[in-house]
Amino acid sequence: MSRISVEPRAHGGAHVHLGVPVASLAVALLVGAVILAVAGNSAFEAYRTMFDASLNGWTAFSRTLTLATPLILTGLAAAVAFRMKIYNIGGEGQLYLGAIVSSWLALALPADLPKPLMLLVFLVGGALAGAFWASLAAIPRAYLNADEIITTLMLNFIALSLMNYLIFGSMTFWRDPSRQVPGGKKIPESAQLPALSGRLHAGIIIAIVCAVVLWWVLRQTSWGFQLRTIGDSPAAARYAGMSVSLKVLSVLAISGALAGLAGAIEVSGVTKGLEPRSLATDIGFTGIIVAVIARTNPLGVVPVAVFLAAIATSGTALQGIGIQVEVVFLLQGLIFLSVTAGEFFVTNRVSLSRPASTSASGTSTPGSDTAPVVS
Amino acid sequence: MNDTVLVLSIASAIVAGTPILLAALGEIITERSGVMNLGVEGMMLVGGVVGFWAGVNTGSLTLALFLGGMAGVALALVHAVLAVSLRVDQTVSGLSLVIVGGGLSAFLGSSGDPSLLQSPNGLDVNPLFPQSLRDLPAVGPIVFGHDIVVYLAMLATVGAAYFLYRTPSGLSLRAVGEDPAAADAAGLNVVRIRYLATAVGGLGAGVGGAYLTLAVLGTWQNGVTAGLGWIAVALVILAGWRPGLALLGAYVFGGLRGLSFTLQLAEVDVPSDFLAMIPFVAAFIVVVAVSANPKRARRVAAPAALAQPYSREAR
């Protein structure tokens, strides 16, 4: 008689931190395949189409990288906050604010500004706007302990309505009056990030640099160390003399700035103007999935963002073989769920064990130190 | 006078607030047991798509609400497994419900030919009371003008309050949410109670979602709840985890939701995007204001063990 025993583990090795998420992804894709099969589609054909459309060959892969660019940044935005157990789920709204403010700067500044200067102002402006939008939730969180999950989320809907108003609801500075279908004015060439290959633009380099810098900061600086300490135990951190309020403010400001930067880069490299329909595509929300799968590791965020971007870009190709785009959302949800469940196997060692005693009963005794989950 | 702006807007606020109320009542029960389920938006969506499908295909409101509720329960049980048994972070688990609920409902709603996306109408739900009562001035439309679900939600509010404060089971539930170790020592089955409470939360959200798509909106779209589930989560905090206040709050939010309609009737010209913002601005302000008032914060504190996983071994 054997039974499944569960015991907490303090620190798993690399095989655990890498193996469990990868296994979780596999489980999610398997469950997705079953659902597709039940719905009467060929799962194999669906996955092959998705692979061809997103990863097979440079044209497809560069399209994936283009979408991965903002996802890396919103993933980093969520990761840095989640690491301190500050749940900023307002990446979506912070991204919109970054897009609104940066596109305003590009349209308002003289178009013949030197390109490096224009881009610098443009990107910094977007990041600051994201930080500002996050601070609306950060200040009540730091000083009143107002639930940041609710406040950042409400700010998402507010920012979305604001962006819609600027383009669809009025004739503002942002809107191009000459277009029949409402859309944003095109930003000058000097505010556009240089193209690398096809639609892929230099934003991918900025995103990867941000990931490496954030990884270094979290690993090497006392700020990064304190972040994790506060996340584990705010009371202990306060006792050790750390200012928790200031840390909440700084973390959410950085988190918001990264999401705002994502918005600015998306405008500069892809939409070239304030285009709500293209910007409001859950980039901020997907960043949360990225951060959780990457277990808030900034270097992990990059490959995870590329993977989720691959799934998202292949949605339209699925339509070509008669499968609805919504499969993409289904897979994203399954992956998130599976990885969340997988977290249990990171923090606990689960093994098949035989009872140590000579009694062959195999029944569990309450209060024994190995709690049987399934016996 | 029954078609004045005021009377019509109050009546429509009650209808629009009913899905929020159902979801918030469920979440109150869940959170009172110490489990925080942020996945209300996802459970409403799944309940909404299943309920809409059942309603359109069978024409039965009862069956639609039942199946919608069961879909909500199914998703809630996923959260229970993750949060109660596997003890993963409840915030992350709740968020995963939002995303998987959104994805699954979008997939289901777009499946089949014709899919629910092309299905034009929900169900015509008949008012409960006879025409003579509904024609009474003012109280007619406001008090007697609604369908049965509105009154059932009101009854559920009374039932939830009675259950929490006046029954032994309610006391057990609250004990588990305040101090699971003590409740466990007193012989209560913490895991079982938390599973049940989480399931009730899924039921409320699922039925609320089904009522929303079938009767209130009469349509299915991807992400049709548009933040209502999150409003319900915020409402639980605003109401201080009390059913009675949740009812008031739900109707106020229902009214804010329908404000564009009201102002249109009153011929006031405000950009619709700003009107869409109002419920979220209100929820933001109230969450901050509740936190800023220390006297209130002490009196209506969250359940002490909210969002804390319970493990016998780690006691």
Side-chain angles (χ1 to χ4, degrees):
Chain A
M1 293 282 279
S2 64
R3 67 175 190 201
I4 296 168
S5 78
V6 175
E7 49 196 302
R9 70 171 130 215
H11 293 289
H15 67 288
V16 172
H17 288 286
L18 205 61
V20 171
V22 170
S24 304
L25 287 179
V27 168
L29 291 178
L30 206 64
V31 173
V34 170
I35 294 179
L36 277 172
V38 168
N41 302 305
S42 159
F44 177 74
E45 200 190 342
Y47 284 168
R48 206 194 52 205
T49 305
M50 292 177 80
F51 176 77
D52 284 344
S54 60
L55 297 170
N56 199 0
W58 174 246
T59 317
F61 189 57
S62 71
R63 216 170 27 226
T64 296
L65 285 181
T66 311
L67 187 61
T69 303
L71 277 185
I72 292 173
L73 290 165
T74 54
L76 292 174
V80 66
F82 278 35
R83 185 165 276 228
M84 200 175 129
K85 297 208 165 67
I86 295 289
Y87 292 105
N88 175 19
I89 48 178
E92 198 70 33
Q94 291 143 19
L95 181 145
Y96 301 158
L97 255 285
I100 291 170
V101 169
S102 61
S103 54
W104 180 82
L105 284 168
L107 295 171
L109 290 169
D112 53 1
L113 231 58
K115 190 161 182 141
L117 181 65
M118 178 62 120
L119 275 176
L120 187 71
V121 173
F122 183 92
L123 297 177
V124 170
L128 287 178
F132 160 73
W133 203 245
S135 75
L136 294 182
I139 294 167
R141 172 64 175 79
Y143 297 107
L144 302 170
N145 211 21
D147 190 342
E148 81 280 5
I149 302 172
I150 305 287
T151 52
T152 52
L153 199 102
M154 297 301 149
L155 288 169
N156 285 347
F157 291 105
I158 297 169
L160 177 63
S161 294
L162 179 66
M163 184 166 70
N164 282 338
Y165 170 75
L166 294 178
I167 297 300
F168 302 120
S170 62
M171 266 300 166
T172 55
F173 181 67
W174 283 264
R175 181 163 162 181
D176 187 346
S178 65
R179 281 166 63 179
Q180 287 290 314
V181 183
K185 270 188 218 149
K186 198 167 183 210
I187 56 170
E189 208 281 322
S190 56
Q192 297 178 15
L193 282 163
L196 296 181
S197 158
R199 287 177 57 218
L200 185 63
H201 54 87
I204 185 75
I205 300 167
I206 300 175
I208 291 172
V209 168
C210 284
V212 174
V213 169
L214 191 63
W215 171 78
W216 184 84
V217 166
L218 290 177
R219 196 185 160 89
Q220 297 292 336
T221 66
S222 66
W223 185 85
F225 170 75
Q226 292 187 2
L227 214 70
R228 182 157 270 186
T229 314
I230 294 172
D232 289 341
S233 170
R238 209 172 274 122
Y239 187 71
M242 299 175 193
S243 167
V244 176
S245 298
L246 279 180
K247 216 62 86 207
V248 169
L249 289 178
S250 59
V251 159
L252 275 171
I254 289 174
S255 180
L258 286 162
L261 185 61
I265 285 181
E266 202 57 7
V267 169
S268 177
V270 177
T271 65
K272 325 270 184 190
L274 190 64
E275 305 290 351
R277 291 266 151 76
S278 316
L279 291 165
T281 48
D282 284 347
I283 300 167
F285 228 77
T286 312
I288 297 169
I289 315 182
V290 172
V292 169
I293 298 177
R295 312 197 68 249
T296 72
N297 180 333
L299 291 187
V301 160
V302 177
V304 172
V306 171
F307 179 74
L308 287 183
I311 293 181
T313 36
S314 53
T316 37
L318 281 178
Q319 278 181 315
I321 57 166
I323 299 177
Q324 69 266 44
V325 163
E326 282 81 358
V327 167
V328 167
F329 306 132
L330 177 72
L331 284 177
Q332 284 178 345
L334 289 174
I335 290 168
F336 193 14
L337 193 63
S338 174
V339 169
T340 308
E343 189 63 21
F344 174 76
F345 297 96
V346 174
T347 50
N348 292 278
R349 182 193 302 277
V350 181
S351 53
L352 272 175
S353 67
R354 289 170 195 285
S357 66
T358 49
S359 83
S361 69
T363 53
S364 61
T365 39
S368 64
D369 52 7
T370 53
V373 168
V374 185
S375 21
Chain B
M1 79 170 280
N2 279 355
D3 45 13
T4 60
V5 172
L6 186 67
V7 169
L8 284 178
S9 8
I10 294 175
S12 78
I14 291 173
V15 174
T18 294
I20 310 177
L21 174 61
L22 288 165
L25 286 177
E27 183 68 8
I28 287 175
I29 300 290
T30 303
E31 294 201 4
R32 282 282 187 156
S33 81
V35 176
M36 182 177 68
N37 187 353
L38 294 178
V40 178
E41 181 89 356
M43 299 188 297
M44 282 184 87
L45 281 170
V46 170
V49 76
V50 170
F52 194 74
W53 172 81
V56 167
N57 283 298
T58 68
S60 159
L61 178 71
T62 316
L63 191 67
L65 294 180
F66 174 76
L67 290 179
M70 285 305 113
V73 169
L75 202 55
L77 287 177
V78 172
H79 181 69
V81 170
L82 292 174
V84 181
S85 295
L86 299 186
R87 298 190 288 272
V88 303
D89 188 311
Q90 297 192 4
T91 302
V92 175
S93 172
L95 286 175
S96 77
L97 248 58
V98 175
I99 291 171
V100 86
L104 188 62
S105 63
F107 175 73
L108 292 175
S110 60
S111 295
D113 192 26
S115 74
L116 292 182
L117 289 168
Q118 288 130 329
S119 185
N121 294 312
L123 277 184
D124 285 326
V125 187
N126 297 324
L128 185 65
F129 292 103
Q131 187 72 45
S132 52
L133 278 174
R134 282 185 279 133
D135 283 342
L136 291 174
V139 293
I142 294 173
V143 180
F144 298 111
H146 308 295
D147 61 63
I148 185 165
V149 182
V150 169
Y151 301 107
L152 285 178
M154 291 177 184
L155 271 181
T157 310
V158 178
Y162 182 82
F163 168 77
L164 281 174
Y165 301 114
R166 294 275 185 275
T167 65
S169 310
L171 181 64
S172 301
L173 180 88
R174 286 186 291 136
V176 166
E178 296 293 338
D179 190 341
D184 190 12
L188 294 173
N189 188 336
V190 175
V191 170
R192 189 166 149 256
I193 289 174
R194 287 190 165 177
Y195 262 78
L196 284 172
T198 309
V200 171
L203 183 71
V207 172
Y211 180 66
L212 177 78
T213 52
L214 267 180
V216 181
L217 301 174
T219 174
W220 168 259
Q221 299 295 329
N222 291 345
V224 72
T225 46
L228 271 194
W230 288 103
I231 293 277
V233 172
L235 183 58
V236 172
I237 301 175
L238 314 186
W241 290 267
R242 285 173 299 189
L245 284 177
L247 178 127
L248 269 181
Y251 292 164
V252 170
F253 276 111
L256 292 176
R257 240 5 228 199
L259 211 58
S260 51
F261 167 71
T262 305
L263 290 180
Q264 231 168 26
L265 285 180
E267 288 169 2
V268 180
D269 190 30
V270 182
S272 63
D273 293 308
F274 284 108
L275 293 172
M277 249 184 232
I278 288 175
F280 302 105
V281 174
F284 178 87
I285 291 173
V286 186
V287 167
V288 173
V290 167
S291 317
N293 185 342
K295 227 192 277 171
R296 188 185 142 83
R298 250 201 317 278
R299 196 158 41 87
V300 289
L306 185 61
Q308 289 170 14
Y310 175 66
S311 156
R312 252 190 190 168
E313 292 78 39
R315 213 167 4 165

